[in-house]
Amino acid sequence: VRSILVECVHRRNTMKPKIKDELLRPHERIDDLQLNGLYIIQDPSGFCFGMDAVLLSDFARPAPGAYVADLGTGTGILPLLMSAKTKNTRFEAVEINSHVADMAQRSVALNGLQARIRVHAMDLKDAPAKLGKSVFDYVVCNPPYRKLGSGKTSTDALQATARYETNCTLQDVIIAASSLLQNKGRMAMICPCDRVVELFASLCAHKLQPKRVRMIHSFVDRAPKLMMIESIKSGKPFVQWMPPLVIYDQDGSCSRELNRIYGREEA
Amino acid sequence: VRSILVECVHRRNTMKPKIKDELLRPHERIDDLQLNGLYIIQDPSGFCFGMDAVLLSDFARPAPGAYVADLGTGTGILPLLMSAKTKNTRFEAVEINSHVADMAQRSVALNGLQARIRVHAMDLKDAPAKLGKSVFDYVVCNPPYRKLGSGKTSTDALQATARYETNCTLQDVIIAASSLLQNKGRMAMICPCDRVVELFASLCAHKLQPKRVRMIHSFVDRAPKLMMIESIKSGKPFVQWMPPLVIYDQDGSCSRELNRIYGREEA
């Protein structure tokens, strides 16, 4: 089956109906990630990955051969993208919703990445007990970072789980990450800027020292809304700030940096 | 004497030699602040104010009538600039070096601002005991923010005091500010970005909640080096990020925002 799938992948969108039927459930579709011939299964009526995950997959830089955990993987977008951007990395992808974890698992199979990415339908709070403490080199997390009751609450339960702290808080994520990581292991996450003070405090309280920060601005003259933070377990103080990541040029077109991250050729 | 001084100020650089002799000591000079006819006495062989102070005087926004403390005022640049930018504010300006405090005092007299700005030659650590606890609406501070031993150490003792934590640490400044401020009072400071984690932790440990942040970038595509932070005593979490402050346009000329802050007309 794997070779057929790989062949499908390389022929792009020419997947045989039979294979497609085996892998897809009602309402689902296969989306081309336009990176190394990767595809992902998503349910457009549920939660689809957004730009956050793509930006984080660029910011997170595990070393070649790193053992990586993704906390709250959703449909598996982060390990799928990161597997293409890093060498010999292996991923344990944790997702609390078993329906979504199943989609992620099928996406991994679709891309023939079973040897590098394992999907676990589990609460990330149980991850250290089940996957091992102090064994990971790197943790990534695109967490549900909106406090309950803030912003407009999604009426869809699945979207709510992905965006709001219904099943876990930022602190739960940080506690799990700290426990999973070995000393000097690193964690990369994305978070709304307005929560930076509590986030830094929580990271430090769990031995994760923020070491690298990149702010995300929609336009260069606008306030940032999101930030990406890489922390080192038992690291020393001092933060390295990166140049701002600006999404759009003043004329509304995608910035050069965004095109680079999406792997698009420049005109 | 005051009316003569005010007259001198309004005639700009046409100060009578006699008055100049009264106010200036050897090596000192009078610089035009190019804002509301303000002047400042500085010693070019010592420490002169830099762009930091001008940027902070724009970022700090005490309400009309606010009672403001400046911790480490140097030659008095912050209260001088802020007196012109705010209405009916009154300032207690604290400076540990009595020689520099004397220069600040003479600049206050030169500008006829004795009714609004008082200069105190004292250690800022003694400010709460001497000026009063929980009585200020606003504190500003352009602190000596380099850790001892970091960067190139200035050979000049005065410059070292202004730039390095020789006489006080960031924590000393924060403790003094928290003590001086009444509840809901605010503090604005400027700090190197790389110390943000310890700075936030120290502010929070002393009841100062960071509420407004502005990053300072030399160029729009460079990492920020300095940041300005306004905290509220006993404030609630959540930080408001401002658009980045970019100093230079890509061609190396001063940005529009910098010209606005310096009160320069645009071409």
Side-chain angles (χ1 to χ4, degrees), chain B residues 159-179:
Chain B
Q159 291 196 15
T161 299
R163 287 186 183 142
Y164 290 87
E165 295 183 315
T166 45
N167 285 302
C168 72
T169 64
L170 277 182
Q171 182 163 288
D172 292 333
V173 171
I174 288 165
I175 289 171
S178 181
S179 181

Side-chain angles (χ1 to χ4, degrees), chain A:
Chain A
V1 174
R2 187 176 162 187
S3 64
I4 297 172
L5 290 171
V6 169
E7 190 193 358
C8 290
V9 162
H10 285 125
R11 279 195 282 143
R12 296 197 175 211
N13 291 324
T14 57
M15 196 167 290
K16 290 174 184 168
K18 191 181 162 195
I19 303 300
K20 201 168 166 180
D21 288 347
E22 271 178 30
L23 285 167
L24 286 186
R25 306 284 178 267
H27 309 300
E28 293 178 359
R29 70 174 191 217
I30 295 179
D31 292 327
D32 184 346
L33 287 176
Q34 307 197 324
L35 179 74
N36 283 34
L38 289 171
Y39 289 80
I40 191 167
I41 298 168
Q42 300 199 98
D43 177 355
S45 70
F47 182 82
C48 293
F49 79 87
M51 192 185 285
D52 292 12
V54 180
L55 301 184
L56 187 58
S57 77
D58 177 74
F59 178 78
R61 300 280 170 88
Y67 186 39
V68 184
D70 178 18
L71 301 180
T73 197
T75 52
I77 181 65
L78 272 171
L80 288 172
L81 290 173
M82 289 174 71
S83 70
K85 295 181 176 200
T86 55
K87 284 185 183 173
N88 302 322
T89 43
R90 291 168 302 125
F91 298 84
E92 307 289 351
V94 173
E95 170 55 42
I96 195 168
N97 182 300
S98 57
H99 171 73
V100 178
D102 179 64
M103 257 196 282
Q105 183 56 62
R106 285 180 283 120
S107 283
V108 170
L110 173 66
N111 293 289
L113 286 165
Q114 297 94 324
R116 291 182 63 190
I117 304 172
R118 290 196 296 184
V119 179
H120 306 268
M122 65 162 76
D123 189 332
L124 63 85
K125 294 192 278 292
D126 299 328
K130 295 186 177 168
L131 299 176
K133 294 178 182 174
S134 304
V135 295
F136 285 87
D137 303 305
Y138 211 97
V139 171
V140 284
C141 184
N142 182 3
Y145 47 59
R146 288 286 165 203
K147 265 189 192 291
L148 274 175
S150 68
K152 55 175 184 181
T153 304
S154 176
T155 48
D156 180 83
L158 200 56
Q159 292 198 13
T161 299
R163 286 186 183 143
Y164 289 88
E165 296 183 315
T166 46
N167 285 302
C168 73
T169 63
L170 278 182
Q171 181 162 286
D172 292 332
V173 171
I174 288 164
I175 290 171
S178 181
S179 182
L180 291 164
L181 285 171
Q182 55 172 304
N183 257 356
K184 306 300 173 194
R186 290 180 289 157
M187 178 210 198
M189 66 189 300
I190 190 164
C191 176
C193 301
D194 60 4
R195 295 188 68 179
V196 61
V197 173
E198 72 176 289
L199 182 66
F200 280 179
S202 188
L203 286 165
C204 290
H206 298 96
K207 294 190 198 171
L208 294 169
Q209 181 71 39
K211 286 302 287 180
R212 189 164 61 93
V213 171
R214 188 167 203 192
M215 309 302 290
I216 303 171
H217 301 250
S218 55
F219 289 89
V220 74
D221 55 357
R222 302 272 178 86
K225 289 277 186 290
L226 292 170
M227 65 197 296
M228 296 183 286
I229 301 165
E230 186 180 66
S231 304
I232 299 188
K233 188 171 175 182
S234 308
K236 289 176 188 160
F238 285 100
V239 176
Q240 179 208 343
W241 290 74
M242 294 181 68
L245 199 171
V246 179
I247 306 292
Y248 302 110
D249 286 341
Q250 291 303 76
D251 64 2
S253 61
C254 289
S255 70
R256 198 164 152 179
E257 178 70 347
L258 193 74
N259 283 329
R260 180 193 66 75
I261 291 171
Y262 273 86
R264 294 176 195 138
E265 296 291 330
E266 286 216 62

Side-chain angles (χ1 to χ4, degrees), chain B residues 91-240:
Chain B
F91 298 83
E92 307 289 352
V94 173
E95 171 54 44
I96 195 167
N97 183 301
S98 58
H99 171 73
V100 178
D102 179 64
M103 257 197 283
Q105 182 58 63
R106 285 179 283 121
S107 283
V108 169
L110 174 66
N111 293 288
L113 286 166
Q114 298 94 324
R116 290 181 64 189
I117 304 172
R118 290 196 295 185
V119 179
H120 307 267
M122 63 164 76
D123 189 331
L124 63 86
K125 293 191 279 293
D126 299 328
K130 294 188 178 169
L131 299 176
K133 294 178 182 174
S134 304
V135 295
F136 284 87
D137 302 305
Y138 211 96
V139 171
V140 284
C141 185
N142 183 5
Y145 45 61
R146 289 288 164 202
K147 265 189 193 290
L148 275 176
S150 67
K152 54 175 185 182
T153 303
S154 175
T155 47
D156 180 83
L158 200 57
Q159 291 196 15
T161 299
R163 287 186 183 142
Y164 290 87
E165 295 183 315
T166 45
N167 285 302
C168 72
T169 64
L170 277 182
Q171 182 163 288
D172 292 333
V173 171
I174 288 165
I175 289 171
S178 181
S179 181
L180 291 164
L181 285 171
Q182 56 172 302
N183 257 356
K184 305 302 174 194
R186 290 179 289 157
M187 179 210 198
M189 66 189 297
I190 190 164
C191 178
C193 300
D194 60 4
R195 295 189 69 179
V196 61
V197 173
E198 72 175 290
L199 182 66
F200 280 179
S202 188
L203 287 165
C204 290
H206 299 96
K207 295 192 196 169
L208 293 170
Q209 181 70 40
K211 287 301 286 179
R212 188 162 62 92
V213 172
R214 188 165 204 193
M215 309 303 288
I216 303 171
H217 302 249
S218 54
F219 289 89
V220 75
D221 55 357
R222 302 272 178 87
K225 288 277 185 292
L226 292 170
M227 64 197 297
M228 295 183 285
I229 301 166
E230 185 180 67
S231 304
I232 299 187
K233 187 170 177 182
S234 308
K236 290 175 187 159
F238 285 99
V239 176
Q240 180 207 343

